[in-house]
Amino acid sequence: MDLSEKIDMIGRLHIGLDQIENCMEFSALIPQVRTNFVYASKESTDPEDVLAVDGRITIVDKHPQAAGKIKFGASGYMAHLILEIRKEDPEIRCAIDFANSPEIVDFLKDYCKEKGWILSIVDRRLEPEEIIDQEGASTPWEVAEAIQAAGGKIPKVFCETATVGKEPVSVLVGKDPLEVAEQICELARRYYGSKQT
Amino acid sequence: MDLSEKIDMIGRLHIGLDQIENCMEFSALIPQVRTNFVYASKESTDPEDVLAVDGRITIVDKHPQAAGKIKFGASGYMAHLILEIRKEDPEIRCAIDFANSPEIVDFLKDYCKEKGWILSIVDRRLEPEEIIDQEGASTPWEVAEAIQAAGGKIPKVFCETATVGKEPVSVLVGKDPLEVAEQICELARRYYGSKQT
Amino acid sequence: MDLSEKIDMIGRLHIGLDQIENCMEFSALIPQVRTNFVYASKESTDPEDVLAVDGRITIVDKHPQAAGKIKFGASGYMAHLILEIRKEDPEIRCAIDFANSPEIVDFLKDYCKEKGWILSIVDRRLEPEEIIDQEGASTPWEVAEAIQAAGGKIPKVFCETATVGKEPVSVLVGKDPLEVAEQICELARRYYGSKQT
Amino acid sequence: MDLSEKIDMIGRLHIGLDQIENCMEFSALIPQVRTNFVYASKESTDPEDVLAVDGRITIVDKHPQAAGKIKFGASGYMAHLILEIRKEDPEIRCAIDFANSPEIVDFLKDYCKEKGWILSIVDRRLEPEEIIDQEGASTPWEVAEAIQAAGGKIPKVFCETATVGKEPVSVLVGKDPLEVAEQICELARRYYGSKQT
């Protein structure tokens, strides 16, 4: 990517990350494996073209907090996922992962319906054994499954089912970190509110 | 606990944590759920009596790095685990968790044999369904299983088998953070070395 | 400023700051009062329009390190300085301050000559007593003095003389953080090299 | 020092530092050169025997925040100062520096009187020219002056007058970081309160 794209990407991810760090309610949605927030360049082909949070976003003092800085190449799994999605729709270049439990999936079903968003649930138990644990092989299958489950469209939110040895996560995608941060923070505040009542 | 015990505990965990942050090879043993390093007070009865790393230890710039500060009450699962173990042997008050894969388990079998350490493998698929996901109920079962598998003794290293929706981890225990840090760093350097050849 | 300017400013300051944090030699030029690195928006009129490093850049583990994040409004003195300079030349919107000693001033004289840069030395002992210590009043005087000393032009580097109760600093200005970071890091490496021989 | 002294020192400075970081009012007393908080070992003879905050304590998000970790050898000036004081009274091994302005000096005069503390004002304009800027030579003179000004006793609080090129600071000393943290936080809250009225 050229310098002006790099500046634009860093500026957007920085602002989006600030918003997430200031959203205390998102702490309730950070999974055990923690959260990454990734943004792929326009012509991205490998994880080095994907901007992400080094050390992921964790919970410190009850608030979401980036462990390190934003850097190109700082993500593996989430970078592969967004690269795969971008191949299908070049407009979708940003993603964030978050927790996934039966309670959260129920919430997401209602929330996505209300928002008019496509929610796709990927059954990872169907994943062919020969590709499991192969970062580069597993994500194309997962994205293809998610799109198929959504009738050929790219879903706004993905949930995977639990599988042996892996904590299941949810993923929300969008065009850039400003959009994704705003949407995930609104979702987090709503989820948090729903648990208080 | 009284002030002098608190000072002593913080001093020891601080020094042990420094040692781990300086052990680059430990990065290869940090699981997706990240590592916690916990130290229970002499009369500990609940997680508030357990000193731990707020936000856990993650990988930043390829090195282990504490996300937040050391604090009493900053751990859930690992705090319950050490409390349970301390009940069986009041001398064992410190624990660290780390990655677990078939490759790591094979390495641990040889390494523990060489060290004369008891290694105990807990089959979490045997866990009674009614206690799964209940932090306070799951750890007593796990510790009891580990001790039984070790013929009634407290093992030095525990490994759990993978279960649905959970990344399996390994745990090393000891009397204090200085002992545990030294042992886990030596183990990490040996494991790292074994992968280079 | 509008969103696209904000994104652009944050992206540029983030990249420039990364460059400075990776320039170990700059540590030798961080003054006791630490360094700030500021970037004013196009239509900036007050410190809230100036992006800066919260908590300044300090030395940790012998390397330059930002204490906090980059934020609008995070600087006082340096923000006033760049606002004053921008009034004279709207192209100059970025500045960094660094150490100032007789040895550094001697180095700067040679270095600026070689680079063809204007160096201006402001004698703060001439500062009218009624404006001393008044952030908003002191900087217009200082900038006016610097420009006058440079024969009406805006100097590339300013040095102030020591005054009672104030550590003197040097300042390098430029159009944006990418330019300023590159220039200050080259200067720092040269200064560091000159001290080793 | 032996391991048990090291553990004790780190535990105490860690707890004291936590207290200061949680004392928002202390932000108003952090000087431009920032604050260090130092603790010398019982047999300390050089800065490597003095525990201090790497990168000092700065203001981030309006709160006091340590830039780096606590480390032996992380301070120069403040380490020399406490070493010099410890020579005079082996019980006094801890010190913190903070801001100094005419307003603060006035406050300290009243506050120290109320507390029954000795306050000593060192006139740095009297410092012999040949030792200025020589860390190892300047502090013995400064400490000797402070003690002389206090009629042969070690003062609880020192203030220095402003001198050319140096921001004047104040220093509070005590036996250990718990005592010093408690005293400086109480002082800070009182000073902060006095400015609100």
Side-chain angles (χ1 to χ4, degrees):
Chain A
M1 77 216 83
D2 64 12
L3 181 60
S4 70
E5 185 181 2
K6 203 174 153 182
I7 290 167
D8 185 73
M9 286 177 69
I10 290 174
R12 286 175 194 270
L13 192 59
H14 186 104
I15 295 172
L17 182 57
D18 261 1
Q19 217 174 321
I20 285 168
E21 290 188 317
N22 287 324
C23 175
M24 195 266 283
E25 294 89 349
F26 184 64
S27 300
L29 286 176
I30 295 184
Q32 292 295 317
V33 296
R34 313 306 146 97
T35 282
N36 217 329
F37 186 22
V38 298
Y39 188 30
S41 69
K42 280 177 202 156
E43 307 291 334
S44 54
T45 56
D46 83 28
E48 291 303 315
D49 303 324
V50 179
L51 198 60
V53 180
D54 193 20
R56 301 186 189 164
I57 301 167
T58 174
I59 305 171
V60 175
D61 225 0
K62 296 183 184 135
H63 283 73
Q65 186 180 298
K69 297 202 234 178
I70 60 178
K71 261 188 200 173
F72 284 93
S75 169
Y77 170 74
M78 285 295 289
H80 278 290
L81 193 79
I82 198 65
L83 287 169
E84 217 46 55
I85 292 167
R86 202 195 67 78
K87 275 189 208 163
E88 303 299 323
D89 180 350
E91 289 296 301
I92 305 297
R93 289 166 41 206
C94 183
I96 192 165
D97 57 342
F98 58 102
N100 176 335
S101 67
E103 193 191 358
I104 291 172
V105 173
D106 283 346
F107 166 80
L108 289 173
K109 281 177 185 164
D110 290 344
Y111 190 79
C112 288
K113 198 170 186 180
E114 179 194 319
K115 286 281 177 188
W117 289 351
I118 300 172
L119 167 69
S120 192
I121 298 179
V122 178
D123 189 342
R124 289 199 72 167
R125 289 166 304 182
L126 302 177
E127 190 171 348
E129 212 167 310
E130 64 274 20
I131 63 167
I132 286 174
D133 285 329
Q134 300 192 27
E135 232 169 43
S138 193
T139 44
W141 175 85
E142 211 177 336
V143 170
E145 283 287 303
I147 291 174
Q148 198 186 342
K153 288 179 189 159
I154 294 183
K156 182 69 183 172
V157 178
F158 303 66
C159 293
E160 49 183 21
T161 56
T163 179
V164 174
K166 287 229 177 70
E167 183 187 8
V169 292
S170 308
V171 176
L172 183 151
V173 302
K175 69 177 171 47
D176 86 340
L178 303 183
E179 180 193 303
V180 168
E182 199 179 310
Q183 290 171 344
I184 199 73
C185 290
E186 189 188 339
L187 186 158
R189 280 188 293 265
R190 184 75 81 78
Y191 175 67
Y192 187 84
S194 74
K195 295 210 308 175
Q196 308 306 304
T197 52
Chain B
M1 77 217 81
D2 64 12
L3 181 61
S4 72
E5 186 181 2
K6 204 175 153 182
I7 291 167
D8 185 72
M9 285 178 70
I10 290 174
R12 286 176 195 272
L13 192 60
H14 186 104
I15 295 173
L17 182 57
D18 259 0
Q19 217 174 321
I20 285 167
E21 290 188 317
N22 287 323
C23 176
M24 193 267 283
E25 293 88 347
F26 185 64
S27 300
L29 287 176
I30 295 183
Q32 293 293 316
V33 296
R34 312 307 145 97
T35 282
N36 217 329
F37 186 22
V38 298
Y39 189 29
S41 69
K42 279 177 201 154
E43 308 292 335
S44 54
T45 56
D46 84 27
E48 290 304 314
D49 303 324
V50 180
L51 197 61
V53 180
D54 192 20
R56 300 187 190 163
I57 301 168
T58 175
I59 304 171
V60 176
D61 225 0
K62 295 180 184 138
H63 283 73
Q65 188 179 298
K69 294 203 234 178
I70 60 178
K71 263 189 199 174
F72 284 92
S75 169
Y77 169 74
M78 284 295 289
H80 279 290
L81 192 79
I82 198 66
L83 288 169
E84 219 43 58
I85 292 167
R86 202 194 67 78
K87 276 189 208 162
E88 303 298 324
D89 180 351
E91 289 296 301
I92 306 296
R93 291 165 40 207
C94 183
I96 192 166
D97 59 341
F98 58 101
N100 176 337
S101 67
E103 193 191 357
I104 290 173
V105 173
D106 283 346
F107 166 81
L108 288 173
K109 281 177 184 165
D110 290 344
Y111 190 79
C112 289
K113 197 171 187 182
E114 180 195 318
K115 287 281 177 187
W117 288 352
I118 299 172
L119 168 69
S120 192
I121 297 179
V122 178
D123 189 342
R124 291 198 72 167
R125 290 166 303 182
L126 304 177
E127 190 170 350
E129 213 165 310
E130 63 275 20
I131 63 167
I132 286 176
D133 284 329
Q134 301 192 27
E135 233 169 43
S138 192
T139 45
W141 176 85
E142 209 177 337
V143 169
E145 283 287 302
I147 291 175
Q148 197 187 342
K153 290 179 188 156
I154 294 183
K156 182 70 182 172
V157 179
F158 301 66
C159 293
E160 49 182 22
T161 56
T163 181
V164 173
K166 286 232 178 68
E167 183 186 7
V169 293
S170 308
V171 175
L172 184 149
V173 301
K175 69 178 170 49
D176 86 340
L178 303 183
E179 181 193 302
V180 168
E182 198 179 309
Q183 290 172 344
I184 199 73
C185 291
E186 190 187 337
L187 186 157
R189 280 189 292 267
R190 185 74 81 75
Y191 175 68
Y192 187 85
S194 75
K195 296 212 307 178
Q196 308 305 308
T197 51
Chain C
M1 78 217 80
D2 65 12
L3 181 60
S4 71
E5 186 181 1
K6 203 174 154 184
I7 291 168
D8 185 73
M9 286 178 69
I10 290 175
R12 286 176 194 272
L13 192 60
H14 186 104
I15 295 173
L17 181 57
D18 259 0
Q19 217 174 322
I20 285 168
E21 289 188 317
N22 287 323
C23 176
M24 195 267 284
E25 294 88 347
F26 185 64
S27 300
L29 286 176
I30 295 183
Q32 293 295 315
V33 296
R34 312 307 145 97
T35 281
N36 217 329
F37 186 22
V38 298
Y39 188 29
S41 69
K42 279 176 202 157
E43 307 292 334
S44 54
T45 56
D46 84 26
E48 291 302 315
D49 303 324
V50 179
L51 197 60
V53 180
D54 191 21
R56 298 185 191 165
I57 300 168
T58 175
I59 304 171
V60 176
D61 224 2
K62 297 183 181 133
H63 283 73
Q65 188 179 298
K69 295 202 236 180
I70 60 179
K71 263 189 199 173
F72 285 91
S75 169
Y77 170 73
M78 284 294 290
H80 280 289
L81 192 79
I82 197 66
L83 288 168
E84 219 43 59
I85 292 167
R86 202 194 68 79
K87 276 190 208 160
E88 302 298 324
D89 180 350
E91 289 295 302
I92 306 297
R93 291 165 40 207
C94 183
I96 192 166
D97 59 341
F98 58 101
N100 176 336
S101 66
E103 194 191 358
I104 290 171
V105 173
D106 283 346
F107 166 81
L108 288 173
K109 282 178 185 163
D110 290 343
Y111 189 79
C112 289
K113 197 171 189 182
E114 180 194 318
K115 287 281 178 188
W117 290 350
I118 299 172
L119 168 69
S120 190
I121 297 178
V122 178
D123 190 343
R124 290 198 70 166
R125 290 166 304 183
L126 303 178
E127 190 170 349
E129 212 164 312
E130 64 274 21
I131 63 167
I132 286 176
D133 285 328
Q134 300 191 28
E135 234 170 43
S138 191
T139 44
W141 175 85
E142 209 178 336
V143 170
E145 282 288 302
I147 291 174
Q148 196 187 343
K153 289 180 189 157
I154 293 184
K156 181 70 183 171
V157 179
F158 302 66
C159 293
E160 50 182 21
T161 56
T163 180
V164 173
K166 286 233 177 68
E167 183 186 5
V169 293
S170 308
V171 176
L172 183 149
V173 302
K175 69 179 171 48
D176 87 340
L178 303 184
E179 181 193 302
V180 168
E182 198 179 310
Q183 290 172 344
I184 199 72
C185 290
E186 189 188 339
L187 186 157
R189 280 189 293 266
R190 184 74 81 77
Y191 175 68
Y192 187 85
S194 75
K195 295 212 307 177
Q196 307 305 306
T197 51
Chain D
M1 78 217 81
D2 64 13
L3 180 60
S4 70
E5 186 181 2
K6 203 174 153 182
I7 290 167
D8 185 73
M9 287 177 68
I10 290 174
R12 286 176 194 272
L13 192 59
H14 186 103
I15 295 173
L17 182 57
D18 260 0
Q19 218 174 321
I20 286 168
E21 290 187 316
N22 287 324
C23 176
M24 194 266 282
E25 294 89 348
F26 184 64
S27 300
L29 285 176
I30 295 183
Q32 292 294 317
V33 297
R34 314 305 147 99
T35 282
N36 217 329
F37 186 23
V38 298
Y39 188 29
S41 69
K42 280 176 201 156
E43 308 291 335
S44 54
T45 55
D46 83 29
E48 291 301 316
D49 303 323
V50 179
L51 198 59
V53 180
D54 193 20
R56 299 185 190 164
I57 300 168
T58 174
I59 304 171
V60 175
D61 225 359
K62 297 185 182 132
H63 283 73
Q65 187 178 298
K69 296 202 235 179
I70 60 178
K71 261 188 200 174
F72 285 92
S75 168
Y77 170 75
M78 285 295 288
H80 279 290
L81 192 80
I82 197 64
L83 288 169
E84 218 45 57
I85 292 166
R86 202 194 67 79
K87 276 190 207 161
E88 303 299 323
D89 180 349
E91 289 295 302
I92 305 297
R93 289 165 42 206
C94 183
I96 193 166
D97 58 343
F98 57 102
N100 176 335
S101 66
E103 192 192 359
I104 291 172
V105 173
D106 284 347
F107 166 81
L108 288 173
K109 281 177 185 162
D110 291 343
Y111 190 80
C112 288
K113 198 171 188 182
E114 178 194 319
K115 287 280 177 186
W117 290 351
I118 301 172
L119 168 70
S120 191
I121 297 178
V122 179
D123 189 342
R124 289 198 72 165
R125 289 166 305 182
L126 302 177
E127 190 170 350
E129 211 166 313
E130 63 275 21
I131 62 166
I132 286 174
D133 284 329
Q134 300 192 28
E135 231 169 44
S138 191
T139 45
W141 174 86
E142 209 177 337
V143 170
E145 283 287 302
I147 291 173
Q148 199 187 341
K153 288 179 190 158
I154 294 182
K156 182 70 183 170
V157 178
F158 303 67
C159 293
E160 49 182 22
T161 57
T163 179
V164 173
K166 288 232 176 67
E167 182 186 8
V169 292
S170 308
V171 176
L172 183 150
V173 302
K175 69 176 171 48
D176 86 339
L178 302 184
E179 180 193 303
V180 169
E182 199 178 309
Q183 291 172 343
I184 198 72
C185 290
E186 190 188 338
L187 187 157
R189 280 188 293 265
R190 184 74 80 78
Y191 175 68
Y192 187 85
S194 74
K195 296 211 307 176
Q196 308 304 306
T197 53

